[in-house]
């Protein structure tokens, strides 16, 4: 007997217990409840997957939630190869982040340590929402989890709500993702209109019988998938709805790790992979997905080159890596997109938690140019950060090499603009290595650039924070070996075989079918090229930021316009403010509020009507004087008028 419902419910119980009782509990008990519920959820997920993997897909139908005519929406959960990968990523990474948070948030003060229990309550609620999203067996329940992670991101990004920048960042994330969610909800309604149900299995069975739509035709499936992708661009921070993610760094560092590595930003990639049958029959949408992913990867990578805030560099790195995942999905290599999602979860969570370890030692400092030489006092943090940086750069032997190489190879063999997509991904790989090792060399090597007093306070983080770093570092090393290219020892394709029941269908792996017939020599050459540009990026970072640090200022001065463009993030926020926010504010203030609401509705209809009634009443009230002689006079006047009217009428 399966108990899938307990996997999301356990974190929900932790959120409720800490939210309702946390004020009365000690910090120790708050941590035990939060970590314990997450750990039980993780253990149960592993047990269910190992025990029932032979029975996939496994569907639990618990109760009918919505029933109206032919519409039925049930609380139905699905465990299959795709959702099992996502559940493992969410629970394992989430558990390690919860453990790390015990040490990171230990100094959270406030009346009755309010911030401490509130933080863990929100984190557990986030886990519940994401697990609901990935286990849902219909689009409506998926949308519940989809909106749930949006709410939790608002709560956690704006956790320090007394800080204006944090509360603004939370609102920015919530509003920006709502734009994408509007498209996603329209896509879900359109799905019901076309297929008559929200359940995955009947939708995909009907879609499998439909023909592939022409590139030049905006057909039904193309409209549906474009709307769904609109939601993915918001939730997974792709152009043009990426602007909320860098500001999300205002939340505590464990929040950044959870959002960027295992939960919210991966939701869009998972949704596209889950809906792969729909997307594979809409080639125009796939081309849009691939192009947006590739351009976003390059765009965010260039911004990350010149930022000074350590967490914001990692934020732009996340946007760039998500672009890789969408690039993979756009060329039909859905399994490779999920593969990179899995490997990225390990090394990106490690990068953020290691950055949090640095912040812990530097008393919250984030400017990398106020650091330096931290390797001397933070050896464990340093080596784990280096492992994660090597992994994300795609150095052979680490997980990022395998997943990124597979994406580039599939992009190269894509039938539409394959060479162009590969070139963008290849350049981005070099930029990734450059900005990551810029952090390594500036933060951990060279001389300390901060105040002397700050140097004396630098220390390694406590064990409760270091153990998750070490485990994540091991994951960043070994997680890629479930999918090894065929030219290496014959290859290992365990990951694609595991996902085959969900992703294998006509048209799903066009790029991979082409790739299988292509020259293995070409694949080796492309792999060598991707490794070479990563090594070049590392060497350039070494030459600029470690060998001769003064070169950085010289280069910035020589290319001042380009540096300013990148440092100010292409002025995207300023452009959005000028083109979208200020016009909307002007129309709302002067058009809708002051003209329509105050002048017309309130002034003319509400207040105007009241003024007329009051004026008429004021005039007529003089007739009611209370004096009998006045009333007699009016009777006489009235009688005279009536007699005159009758006489005149005759």
């Amino acid at each position: 007997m399966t108990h899938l419902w307990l996997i999301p419910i356990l974190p929900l119980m932790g959120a409720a217990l800490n939210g309702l009782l946390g004020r009365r509990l000690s910090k120790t008990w708050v941590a035990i409840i939060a970590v314990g519920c997450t750990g039980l959820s993780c253990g149960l997920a592993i047990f269910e997957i190992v025990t029932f993997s032979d029975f996939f897909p496994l569907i639990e139908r618990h109760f009918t939630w919505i029933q109206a005519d032919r519409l039925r929406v049930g609380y139905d959960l699905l465990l299959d190869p795709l959702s099992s990968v996502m559940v493992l990523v969410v629970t394992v990474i989430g558990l390690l982040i919860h453990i790390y948070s015990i040490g990171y948030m230990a100094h959270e003060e406030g009346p009755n340590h309010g911030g401490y229990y509130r933080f863990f309550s929100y984190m557990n609620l986030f886990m519940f929402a994401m697990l609901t999203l990935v286990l849902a067996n219909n689009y409506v329940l998926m949308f519940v989890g989809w909106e749930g992670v949006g709410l939790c991101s608002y709560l956690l990004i704006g956790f320090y709500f007394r800080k204006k920048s944090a509360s603004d960042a939370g609102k920015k994330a919530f509003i920006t993702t709502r734009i994408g969610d509007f498209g996603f909800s329209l896509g879900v309604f359109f799905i019901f209109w076309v297929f008559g149900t929200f359940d995955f299995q009947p939708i995909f069975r009907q879609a499998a019988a439909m023909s592939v739509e022409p590139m030049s035709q905006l057909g039904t499936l193309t409209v549906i998938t474009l709307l769904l992708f609109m939601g993915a661009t918001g939730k997974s921070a792709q152009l043009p709805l990426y602007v909320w993610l860098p500001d999300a760094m205002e939340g505590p560092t464990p929040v950044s790790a959870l959002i960027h590595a295992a939960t919210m930003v991966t939701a869009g990639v998972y949704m596209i992979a889950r809906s792969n049958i729909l997307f594979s029959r809409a080639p125009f949408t796939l081309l849009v997905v691939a192009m947006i992913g590739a351009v976003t990867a390059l765009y965010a990578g260039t911004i990350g080159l010149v930022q000074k805030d350590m967490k914001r560099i990692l934020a732009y790195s996340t946007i760039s890596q998500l672009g890789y995942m969408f690039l993979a999905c756009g060329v039909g290599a859905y399994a490779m997109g999920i593969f990179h999602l899995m490997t990225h979860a390990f090394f990106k969570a490690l990068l953020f938690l290691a950055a949090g370890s640095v912040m812990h030692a530097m008393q919250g400092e984030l400017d990398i140019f106020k650091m330096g030489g931290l390797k001397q006092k933070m050896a464990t943090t340093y080596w784990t950060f280096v492992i994660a940086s090597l992994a994300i750069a795609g150095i052979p032997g680490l997980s990022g090499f395998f997943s990124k190489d597979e994406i580039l190879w599939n992009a190269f063999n894509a039938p539409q603009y394959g060479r162009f997509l590969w070139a963008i991904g290849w350049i981005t790989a070099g930029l990734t290595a450059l900005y990551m090792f810029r952090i390594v060399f500036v933060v951990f090597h060279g001389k300390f650039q901060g105040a002397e007093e700050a140097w004396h306070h630098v220390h390694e983080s406590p064990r409760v924070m270091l153990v998750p770093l070490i485990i994540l570092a091991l994951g960043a090393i070994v997680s890629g070996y479930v999918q090894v290219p065929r030219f290496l020892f014959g290859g290992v394709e365990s990951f694609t075989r595991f996902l085959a029941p969900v992703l294998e269908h006509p048209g799903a792996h066009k790029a991979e079918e082409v790739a299988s017939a292509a020259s293995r020599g070409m694949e080796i050459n492309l792999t060598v090229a991707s490794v070479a540009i990563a090594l070049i990026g590392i060497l350039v970072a070494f030459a600029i930021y470690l060998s001769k640090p003064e070169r950085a200022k010289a280069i910035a001065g020589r290319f001042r316009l380009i540096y300013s463009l990148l440092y100010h993030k292409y002025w995207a926020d300023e452009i959005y403010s000028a083109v979208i926010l200020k016009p909307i504010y002007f129309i709302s203030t002067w058009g809708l509020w002051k003209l329509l609401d105050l002048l017309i509705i309130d002034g003319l209809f509400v207040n105007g009507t009241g003024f007329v009634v009051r004026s008429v009443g004021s005039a007529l009230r003089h007739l009611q004087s209370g004096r009998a002689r006045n009333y007699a006079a009016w009777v006489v006047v009235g009688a005279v008028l009536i007699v005159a009217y009758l006489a005149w009428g005759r």
Side-chain angles (χ1 to χ4, degrees):
M1 182 178 179
T2 60
H3 297 88
L4 297 183
W5 63 279
L6 281 173
I7 297 175
I9 291 300
L10 284 167
L12 180 62
M13 291 172 55
L17 287 173
N18 277 330
L20 297 173
L21 306 176
R23 187 180 294 274
R24 300 181 181 89
L25 300 174
S26 66
K27 286 186 176 182
T28 301
W29 276 107
V30 168
I32 289 173
I33 291 172
V35 176
C37 289
T38 305
L40 288 173
S41 178
C42 179
L44 180 61
I46 295 172
F47 173 79
E48 296 285 340
I49 292 168
V50 172
T51 306
F52 298 101
S53 59
D54 292 336
F55 300 94
F56 284 168
L58 197 63
I59 300 175
E60 277 189 1
R61 302 186 187 277
H62 293 284
F63 58 86
T64 298
W65 176 27
I66 302 172
Q67 181 75 57
D69 194 21
R70 64 191 181 108
L71 168 64
R72 178 198 174 272
V73 178
Y75 185 79
D76 304 335
L77 303 180
L78 167 67
L79 189 67
D80 65 359
L82 179 57
S83 60
S84 63
V85 170
M86 293 299 299
V87 165
L88 286 177
V89 168
V90 173
T91 55
V92 171
I93 303 297
L95 175 60
L96 293 173
I97 293 172
H98 274 72
I99 295 171
Y100 175 94
S101 299
I102 296 173
Y104 188 88
M105 300 296 291
H107 302 295
E108 183 65 31
E109 301 297 339
N112 298 318
H113 56 272
Y116 193 78
Y117 78 79
R118 182 166 55 89
F119 172 82
F120 279 107
S121 179
Y122 291 167
M123 291 282 280
N124 275 181
L125 188 62
F126 209 145
M127 294 287 292
F128 160 73
M130 189 64 190
L131 289 170
T132 299
L133 190 157
V134 300
L135 285 171
N137 189 43
N138 57 70
Y139 280 103
V140 174
L141 191 58
M142 175 188 277
F143 188 71
V144 171
W146 188 276
E147 292 300 302
V149 295
L151 169 63
C152 293
S153 69
Y154 165 75
L155 296 173
L156 285 167
I157 294 169
F159 179 77
Y160 300 117
F161 56 87
R162 291 185 177 88
K163 184 180 176 184
K164 187 178 185 304
S165 59
S167 60
D168 287 347
K171 289 183 286 187
K172 185 176 182 179
F174 191 79
I175 294 170
T176 304
T177 54
R178 292 292 77 70
I179 297 171
D181 294 351
F182 174 71
F184 182 78
S185 60
L186 288 180
V188 171
F189 291 141
F190 205 176
I191 284 174
F192 180 76
W193 183 69
V194 173
F195 298 102
T197 181
F198 291 113
D199 292 342
F200 292 148
Q201 286 74 27
I203 291 172
F204 298 153
R205 278 197 302 269
Q206 294 179 58
M210 301 172 71
S211 59
V212 177
E213 295 180 348
M215 283 284 292
S216 58
Q217 177 182 332
L218 198 65
T220 301
L221 293 181
T222 301
V223 173
I224 290 174
T225 51
L226 284 173
L227 289 170
L228 295 179
F229 179 60
M230 180 179 173
T233 58
K235 200 67 73 181
S236 295
Q238 298 294 283
L239 284 168
L241 299 179
Y242 74 95
V243 291
W244 66 269
L245 193 58
D247 290 348
M249 299 302 97
E250 293 290 342
T253 299
V255 173
S256 303
L258 191 63
I259 290 177
H260 288 240
T263 55
M264 182 169 171
V265 297
T266 63
V269 181
Y270 167 75
M271 183 270 292
I272 291 179
R274 172 61 68 193
S275 310
N276 64 87
I277 295 180
L278 303 178
F279 279 83
S280 292
R281 280 152 182 78
F284 177 77
T285 303
L286 285 182
L287 180 60
V288 172
V289 172
M291 287 294 182
I292 292 292
V295 173
T296 302
L298 180 62
Y299 174 86
T302 58
I303 297 175
L305 288 175
V306 299
Q307 300 303 306
K308 297 179 180 179
D309 186 306
M310 190 175 185
K311 285 175 64 177
R312 286 183 183 269
I313 298 171
L314 297 179
Y316 283 106
S317 169
T318 298
I319 298 171
S320 183
Q321 296 303 307
L322 288 166
Y324 268 110
M325 299 174 205
F326 280 103
L327 171 59
C329 292
V331 299
Y334 305 103
M336 295 305 100
I338 298 298
F339 182 37
H340 194 58
L341 183 155
M342 181 191 70
T343 60
H344 175 265
F346 283 100
F347 55 71
K348 185 49 63 67
L350 176 55
L351 287 169
F352 271 107
L353 297 188
S357 181
V358 171
M359 289 177 61
H360 185 267
M362 293 291 298
Q363 300 177 334
E365 181 60 62
L366 282 169
D367 189 338
I368 62 174
F369 292 102
K370 293 182 181 179
M371 304 177 190
L374 300 188
K375 176 186 176 183
Q376 301 175 38
K377 295 190 176 184
M378 306 181 68
T380 303
T381 299
Y382 166 73
W383 285 111
T384 54
F385 194 92
V386 168
I387 289 171
S389 298
L390 291 170
I392 196 174
I395 299 303
L398 289 93
S399 60
F401 163 75
F402 299 107
S403 57
K404 189 176 292 186
D405 181 69
E406 290 282 2
I407 291 174
L408 292 177
W409 175 232
N410 280 273
F412 184 83
N413 290 284
Q416 296 284 341
Y417 306 101
R419 306 297 192 271
F420 174 73
L421 295 172
W422 174 86
I424 294 180
W426 180 73
I427 295 170
T428 304
L431 298 179
T432 302
L434 175 54
Y435 63 67
M436 286 311 307
F437 277 86
R438 173 176 177 255
I439 298 177
V440 171
F441 294 137
V442 172
V443 172
F444 294 100
H445 292 268
K447 295 181 180 180
F448 186 73
Q449 301 298 317
E452 184 176 348
E453 183 181 352
W455 173 251
H456 293 308
H457 288 92
V458 173
H459 60 281
E460 186 61 278
S461 298
R463 187 174 300 175
V464 72
M465 294 171 65
L466 293 180
V467 170
L469 296 185
I470 295 171
I471 296 173
L472 288 169
L474 293 174
I477 295 172
V478 304
S479 61
Y481 287 91
V482 296
Q483 185 73 24
V484 179
R486 294 178 187 175
F487 66 83
L488 290 177
F489 314 110
V492 176
E493 298 183 338
S494 302
F495 196 79
T496 51
R497 282 199 301 269
F498 181 68
L499 292 179
V502 183
L503 302 179
E504 284 286 355
H505 56 81
H509 286 290
K510 277 184 181 177
E512 294 181 17
E513 291 168 7
V514 174
S516 64
S519 168
R520 290 296 143 197
M522 177 60 73
E523 184 175 3
I524 294 173
N525 292 338
L526 295 179
T527 301
V528 171
S530 65
V531 173
I533 198 169
L535 293 175
I536 291 171
I538 296 173
L539 291 175
V540 171
F542 175 83
I544 296 176
Y545 298 102
L546 187 59
S547 177
K548 292 185 177 181
E550 63 275 7
R551 286 177 176 167
K553 291 184 178 179
I555 293 173
R558 180 175 298 179
F559 301 98
R560 186 175 304 170
L561 290 178
I562 297 176
Y563 177 85
S564 181
L565 180 67
L566 299 181
Y567 183 75
H568 291 95
K569 300 159 285 187
Y570 295 94
W571 287 283
D573 285 321
E574 290 79 3
I575 293 173
Y576 279 17
S577 178
V579 175
I580 300 175
L581 298 182
K582 288 183 178 179
I584 290 177
Y585 181 79
F586 178 83
I587 293 171
S588 300
T589 301
W590 293 98
L592 300 179
W593 173 32
K594 294 189 176 181
L595 176 62
L596 181 62
D597 192 17
L598 293 182
L599 185 61
I600 297 178
I601 296 177
D602 284 350
L604 184 60
F605 292 105
V606 179
N607 297 332
T609 302
F611 175 77
V612 171
V613 171
R614 185 172 63 250
S615 300
V616 172
S618 297
L620 294 177
R621 70 186 175 86
H622 295 293
L623 299 177
Q624 300 292 331
S625 63
R627 297 177 180 178
R629 62 182 182 181
N630 290 349
Y631 297 155
W634 283 113
V635 168
V636 172
V637 170
V640 170
L641 291 174
I642 291 172
V643 171
Y645 171 75
L646 294 175
W648 181 267
R650 288 180 180 178

